[in-house]
Amino acid sequence: MTQLLELENVKIRFRTKGFVKALLDRDHDPFIEAVCSASMTIGKGETFSLVGESGAGKTTLARSILGLVTPDEGRITFNGKNVLGLNDASFKPIKRDIAMMFQDPVGCLSPRLSVQSIVTEPFNIHGVSIQDTRQKAKELLELVNLPATFLKSYPYQLSGGQARRVGVARALALNPKLIIADEPTAGLDVSVQGEILNLMYRLQQELGISFLVITHNLSVVRHTSDHMAIMYLGRFVETGPTDEIFDNPRHPYTRVLLTSSPEPDPDAPKTRTVLKGEIPSLINRPKGCEFHTRCPEAMDRCRSDAPALRQIGENHYISCFLEE
Ligand code: SF4
């Protein structure tokens, strides 16, 4: 499959103190690592999911692809072009090819704009002229199965599912090659969630769009993704083909996440494992394997040594001593 997006060893650090305060505190390392050496590829027409608890670094990584956060190290290649270090003018055409679906379906739509203005706003932002704004807006709504009667509506008049469809229509405005979907089904009823996932799938088949899905909802991952990565404290702890990971999860964290995900089959065996404790702070990372404070399978060695990310199958990697 032709590659659309490739991330190689992307590291993102954030300063926790101002320069002067760090100097006064004699803090030589006033940074946290929000993303540690992330590598992944998304092929054209493929879906890749980033999974993990809040604070795992999923959104920060996605923001780096949009050029909203600059990685400290690594390389991001989009459509064959290294996009790191580009100035705003050079990055602008790339931004047209990457659209974002934000988490809150209603809250992410400007309350003062009509649906017609919302879905055609990207043309204004990117200085793209269109001859007939109403006709273009109507075509975009058709793509997401909404009738033209919605063009004059305002966000407060829409249900969550309708608002999500408007968000998808807006994302499609400039014919993007990649859509980053942040929790695409959050806040929606279960039946509407299915409709939105089916819509994304249909658009992918018809338009060849790639998706990067950010979610903690594993049923979304299972039904949409070709590949996935599980993140913990900014690190990929397991990454590989979605079917392979769901059928045979190899990292203890992945196993815990999968067993704690709601099981649709009431007759399926109940093997729920509850994760102990809170996710540690990025300021005070555990030594050794950073998951050892919560890992149900931790060994003595895990408290002192850090496992490297190792390949265990085709495109399948994990970082855990259990696989050595
Ligand atoms: Fe658990 Fe040890 Fe594997 Fe880390 S290296 S995930 S603590 S078993």
Side-chain angles (χ1 to χ4, degrees), residues 18-58:
F19 179 75
V20 175
K21 177 142 179 47
L23 205 63
L24 292 172
D25 291 349
R26 296 171 188 267
D27 187 346
H28 299 296
D29 191 19
F31 295 94
I32 52 164
E33 286 211 343
V35 175
C36 321
S37 213
S39 298
M40 56 180 268
T41 56
I42 305 182
K44 289 190 175 161
E46 252 189 1
T47 299
F48 191 106
S49 285
L50 290 174
V51 184
E53 294 164 277
S54 300
K58 312 182 294 288

Short mmCIF file of all heavy atoms in Angstrom, two decimals, residues 18-58:
data_model
loop_
_atom_site.label_atom_id
_atom_site.label_comp_id
_atom_site.label_asym_id
_atom_site.label_seq_id
_atom_site.Cartn_x
_atom_site.Cartn_y
_atom_site.Cartn_z
N GLY A 18 9.51 28.29 33.32
CA GLY A 18 10.15 29.32 32.52
C GLY A 18 11.66 29.24 32.69
O GLY A 18 12.16 28.65 33.65
N PHE A 19 12.39 29.82 31.74
CA PHE A 19 13.85 29.74 31.75
C PHE A 19 14.44 30.28 33.05
O PHE A 19 15.28 29.65 33.70
CB PHE A 19 14.39 30.51 30.54
CG PHE A 19 15.89 30.50 30.46
CD1 PHE A 19 16.56 29.36 30.05
CD2 PHE A 19 16.62 31.62 30.82
CE1 PHE A 19 17.94 29.35 29.99
CE2 PHE A 19 18.00 31.61 30.76
CZ PHE A 19 18.66 30.49 30.34
N VAL A 20 13.94 31.46 33.49
CA VAL A 20 14.50 32.09 34.69
C VAL A 20 14.19 31.26 35.93
O VAL A 20 15.06 31.01 36.77
CB VAL A 20 13.94 33.53 34.84
CG1 VAL A 20 14.42 34.16 36.14
CG2 VAL A 20 14.35 34.38 33.65
N LYS A 21 12.96 30.78 36.03
CA LYS A 21 12.57 29.97 37.21
C LYS A 21 13.41 28.69 37.27
O LYS A 21 13.87 28.28 38.34
CB LYS A 21 11.07 29.66 37.15
CG LYS A 21 10.59 28.77 38.28
CD LYS A 21 9.23 29.16 38.77
CE LYS A 21 8.69 28.30 39.90
NZ LYS A 21 9.59 28.03 40.97
N ALA A 22 13.60 28.07 36.11
CA ALA A 22 14.41 26.84 36.09
C ALA A 22 15.84 27.13 36.54
O ALA A 22 16.45 26.36 37.28
CB ALA A 22 14.41 26.25 34.68
N LEU A 23 16.35 28.32 36.13
CA LEU A 23 17.72 28.71 36.51
C LEU A 23 17.80 28.94 38.03
O LEU A 23 18.71 28.45 38.71
CB LEU A 23 18.07 30.00 35.77
CG LEU A 23 19.54 30.28 35.53
CD1 LEU A 23 20.14 29.19 34.64
CD2 LEU A 23 19.71 31.65 34.87
N LEU A 24 16.78 29.64 38.57
CA LEU A 24 16.77 29.91 40.01
C LEU A 24 16.61 28.62 40.82
O LEU A 24 17.20 28.47 41.89
CB LEU A 24 15.61 30.87 40.36
CG LEU A 24 15.77 32.30 39.83
CD1 LEU A 24 14.50 33.11 40.06
CD2 LEU A 24 16.96 32.99 40.47
N ASP A 25 15.81 27.70 40.28
CA ASP A 25 15.59 26.42 40.98
C ASP A 25 16.74 25.43 40.73
O ASP A 25 16.68 24.30 41.22
CB ASP A 25 14.28 25.77 40.52
CG ASP A 25 13.06 26.54 40.99
OD1 ASP A 25 13.23 27.44 41.82
OD2 ASP A 25 11.95 26.24 40.51
N ARG A 26 17.72 25.84 39.93
CA ARG A 26 18.81 24.95 39.51
C ARG A 26 18.26 23.65 38.91
O ARG A 26 18.76 22.56 39.19
CB ARG A 26 19.72 24.61 40.69
CG ARG A 26 20.43 25.83 41.23
CD ARG A 26 21.14 25.47 42.52
NE ARG A 26 21.66 26.67 43.13
CZ ARG A 26 22.88 27.13 42.94
NH1 ARG A 26 23.70 26.52 42.15
NH2 ARG A 26 23.27 28.22 43.56
N ASP A 27 17.17 23.81 38.16
CA ASP A 27 16.56 22.65 37.52
C ASP A 27 17.15 22.55 36.12
O ASP A 27 16.85 23.35 35.24
CB ASP A 27 15.04 22.84 37.46
CG ASP A 27 14.32 21.61 36.96
OD1 ASP A 27 15.01 20.73 36.40
OD2 ASP A 27 13.11 21.53 37.11
N HIS A 28 18.01 21.54 35.92
CA HIS A 28 18.68 21.42 34.62
C HIS A 28 17.80 20.75 33.57
O HIS A 28 18.14 20.73 32.42
CB HIS A 28 19.98 20.62 34.78
CG HIS A 28 20.93 21.28 35.70
ND1 HIS A 28 21.48 22.51 35.42
CD2 HIS A 28 21.41 20.91 36.92
CE1 HIS A 28 22.28 22.87 36.42
NE2 HIS A 28 22.24 21.91 37.34
N ASP A 29 16.69 20.18 33.99
CA ASP A 29 15.85 19.49 33.03
C ASP A 29 14.37 19.83 33.26
O ASP A 29 13.58 18.99 33.66
CB ASP A 29 16.07 17.96 33.15
CG ASP A 29 15.41 17.23 31.99
OD1 ASP A 29 15.13 17.87 30.97
OD2 ASP A 29 15.16 16.02 32.13
N PRO A 30 14.02 21.11 33.02
CA PRO A 30 12.62 21.51 33.31
C PRO A 30 11.67 21.13 32.17
O PRO A 30 10.87 21.93 31.72
CB PRO A 30 12.74 23.03 33.44
CG PRO A 30 13.84 23.37 32.49
CD PRO A 30 14.79 22.21 32.46
N PHE A 31 11.79 19.92 31.69
CA PHE A 31 10.96 19.47 30.57
C PHE A 31 10.25 18.16 30.92
O PHE A 31 10.73 17.39 31.75
CB PHE A 31 11.83 19.20 29.33
CG PHE A 31 12.50 20.41 28.77
CD1 PHE A 31 13.78 20.75 29.15
CD2 PHE A 31 11.83 21.21 27.86
CE1 PHE A 31 14.39 21.88 28.64
CE2 PHE A 31 12.44 22.35 27.35
CZ PHE A 31 13.73 22.69 27.74
N ILE A 32 9.12 17.94 30.28
CA ILE A 32 8.51 16.61 30.32
C ILE A 32 8.47 16.08 28.89
O ILE A 32 8.35 16.85 27.94
CB ILE A 32 7.07 16.63 30.90
CG1 ILE A 32 6.20 17.66 30.17
CG2 ILE A 32 7.06 16.83 32.39
CD1 ILE A 32 4.73 17.46 30.41
N GLU A 33 8.60 14.79 28.77
CA GLU A 33 8.51 14.16 27.45
C GLU A 33 7.07 13.72 27.25
O GLU A 33 6.61 12.77 27.88
CB GLU A 33 9.44 12.95 27.36
CG GLU A 33 10.88 13.34 27.24
CD GLU A 33 11.70 12.33 26.44
OE1 GLU A 33 11.24 11.20 26.24
OE2 GLU A 33 12.79 12.70 26.02
N ALA A 34 6.36 14.44 26.40
CA ALA A 34 4.95 14.10 26.17
C ALA A 34 4.82 12.96 25.17
O ALA A 34 3.90 12.16 25.24
CB ALA A 34 4.20 15.33 25.65
N VAL A 35 5.75 12.90 24.22
CA VAL A 35 5.79 11.79 23.25
C VAL A 35 7.24 11.34 23.13
O VAL A 35 8.14 12.15 22.92
CB VAL A 35 5.26 12.22 21.86
CG1 VAL A 35 5.43 11.10 20.84
CG2 VAL A 35 3.79 12.64 21.93
N CYS A 36 7.46 10.02 23.34
CA CYS A 36 8.83 9.49 23.33
C CYS A 36 9.01 8.56 22.14
O CYS A 36 8.48 7.45 22.13
CB CYS A 36 9.10 8.68 24.59
SG CYS A 36 8.40 9.33 26.09
N SER A 37 9.68 9.03 21.13
CA SER A 37 10.11 8.17 20.03
C SER A 37 8.97 7.37 19.38
O SER A 37 8.98 6.14 19.37
CB SER A 37 11.16 7.19 20.57
OG SER A 37 12.08 6.92 19.56
N ALA A 38 7.99 8.08 18.83
CA ALA A 38 6.87 7.41 18.18
C ALA A 38 7.15 7.23 16.69
O ALA A 38 7.55 8.17 16.01
CB ALA A 38 5.60 8.23 18.36
N SER A 39 6.94 6.01 16.21
CA SER A 39 7.10 5.73 14.77
C SER A 39 5.86 5.00 14.28
O SER A 39 5.39 4.07 14.93
CB SER A 39 8.32 4.83 14.52
OG SER A 39 9.50 5.46 14.93
N MET A 40 5.34 5.43 13.15
CA MET A 40 4.14 4.79 12.59
C MET A 40 3.98 5.19 11.14
O MET A 40 4.56 6.19 10.69
CB MET A 40 2.88 5.21 13.37
CG MET A 40 2.69 6.72 13.41
SD MET A 40 1.22 7.24 14.32
CE MET A 40 0.04 7.29 12.97
N THR A 41 3.22 4.41 10.40
CA THR A 41 2.91 4.80 9.02
C THR A 41 1.41 4.59 8.77
O THR A 41 0.79 3.71 9.36
CB THR A 41 3.68 3.94 7.98
OG1 THR A 41 3.38 2.58 8.22
CG2 THR A 41 5.16 4.15 8.05
N ILE A 42 0.86 5.45 7.93
CA ILE A 42 -0.54 5.27 7.50
C ILE A 42 -0.52 5.24 5.98
O ILE A 42 0.00 6.15 5.32
CB ILE A 42 -1.45 6.42 7.97
CG1 ILE A 42 -1.36 6.62 9.49
CG2 ILE A 42 -2.89 6.15 7.57
CD1 ILE A 42 -2.27 7.71 10.03
N GLY A 43 -1.06 4.16 5.43
CA GLY A 43 -1.13 4.04 3.97
C GLY A 43 -2.32 4.81 3.43
O GLY A 43 -3.24 5.19 4.17
N LYS A 44 -2.31 5.04 2.11
CA LYS A 44 -3.45 5.74 1.50
C LYS A 44 -4.70 4.88 1.64
O LYS A 44 -4.67 3.68 1.36
CB LYS A 44 -3.15 6.02 0.03
CG LYS A 44 -2.08 7.09 -0.10
CD LYS A 44 -1.88 7.62 -1.49
CE LYS A 44 -0.87 8.76 -1.42
NZ LYS A 44 -0.23 9.11 -2.67
N GLY A 45 -5.78 5.49 2.12
CA GLY A 45 -7.04 4.77 2.30
C GLY A 45 -7.08 3.87 3.52
O GLY A 45 -8.00 3.08 3.67
N GLU A 46 -6.10 4.02 4.41
CA GLU A 46 -6.03 3.18 5.61
C GLU A 46 -6.50 3.95 6.84
O GLU A 46 -6.48 5.18 6.86
CB GLU A 46 -4.57 2.80 5.87
CG GLU A 46 -4.27 1.36 5.58
CD GLU A 46 -2.88 1.01 6.06
OE1 GLU A 46 -2.15 1.85 6.63
OE2 GLU A 46 -2.52 -0.14 5.88
N THR A 47 -6.84 3.19 7.89
CA THR A 47 -7.15 3.82 9.18
C THR A 47 -6.20 3.30 10.24
O THR A 47 -5.97 2.09 10.35
CB THR A 47 -8.60 3.50 9.61
OG1 THR A 47 -9.48 4.03 8.63
CG2 THR A 47 -8.93 4.13 10.95
N PHE A 48 -5.64 4.24 10.98
CA PHE A 48 -4.72 3.91 12.08
C PHE A 48 -5.32 4.51 13.35
O PHE A 48 -5.73 5.67 13.35
CB PHE A 48 -3.35 4.54 11.79
CG PHE A 48 -2.25 4.07 12.70
CD1 PHE A 48 -1.27 3.19 12.25
CD2 PHE A 48 -2.18 4.50 14.03
CE1 PHE A 48 -0.25 2.75 13.08
CE2 PHE A 48 -1.18 4.06 14.88
CZ PHE A 48 -0.20 3.19 14.40
N SER A 49 -5.35 3.73 14.42
CA SER A 49 -5.90 4.25 15.67
C SER A 49 -4.83 4.40 16.73
O SER A 49 -3.97 3.52 16.88
CB SER A 49 -6.97 3.31 16.22
OG SER A 49 -8.15 3.43 15.48
N LEU A 50 -4.90 5.50 17.45
CA LEU A 50 -4.07 5.71 18.64
C LEU A 50 -4.95 5.50 19.85
O LEU A 50 -5.99 6.15 19.98
CB LEU A 50 -3.52 7.14 18.67
CG LEU A 50 -2.47 7.51 17.62
CD1 LEU A 50 -2.16 9.00 17.71
CD2 LEU A 50 -1.20 6.69 17.79
N VAL A 51 -4.55 4.59 20.73
CA VAL A 51 -5.37 4.21 21.87
C VAL A 51 -4.60 4.47 23.16
O VAL A 51 -3.39 4.28 23.20
CB VAL A 51 -5.70 2.69 21.80
CG1 VAL A 51 -6.63 2.29 22.93
CG2 VAL A 51 -6.29 2.33 20.47
N GLY A 52 -5.31 4.87 24.19
CA GLY A 52 -4.66 5.04 25.49
C GLY A 52 -5.49 5.91 26.39
O GLY A 52 -6.47 6.53 25.95
N GLU A 53 -5.12 5.93 27.68
CA GLU A 53 -5.86 6.74 28.64
C GLU A 53 -5.57 8.23 28.40
O GLU A 53 -4.65 8.57 27.65
CB GLU A 53 -5.42 6.36 30.07
CG GLU A 53 -5.81 4.95 30.45
CD GLU A 53 -5.06 4.47 31.68
OE1 GLU A 53 -3.90 4.02 31.55
OE2 GLU A 53 -5.63 4.54 32.78
N SER A 54 -6.32 9.09 29.07
CA SER A 54 -6.06 10.53 28.97
C SER A 54 -4.63 10.80 29.41
O SER A 54 -4.16 10.21 30.38
CB SER A 54 -7.00 11.31 29.89
OG SER A 54 -8.30 11.08 29.52
N GLY A 55 -3.96 11.70 28.72
CA GLY A 55 -2.59 12.05 29.08
C GLY A 55 -1.55 11.11 28.51
O GLY A 55 -0.36 11.22 28.81
N ALA A 56 -1.98 10.18 27.64
CA ALA A 56 -1.01 9.22 27.07
C ALA A 56 -0.19 9.84 25.94
O ALA A 56 0.80 9.24 25.51
CB ALA A 56 -1.75 7.98 26.56
N GLY A 57 -0.60 10.99 25.44
CA GLY A 57 0.17 11.65 24.38
C GLY A 57 -0.47 11.53 23.00
O GLY A 57 0.10 11.99 22.01
N LYS A 58 -1.68 10.97 22.93
CA LYS A 58 -2.32 10.74 21.62
C LYS A 58 -2.59 12.07 20.90
O LYS A 58 -2.25 12.23 19.74
CB LYS A 58 -3.67 10.01 21.79
CG LYS A 58 -3.63 8.79 22.68
CD LYS A 58 -4.97 8.10 22.77
CE LYS A 58 -6.09 8.88 23.43
NZ LYS A 58 -5.98 9.05 24.87
#
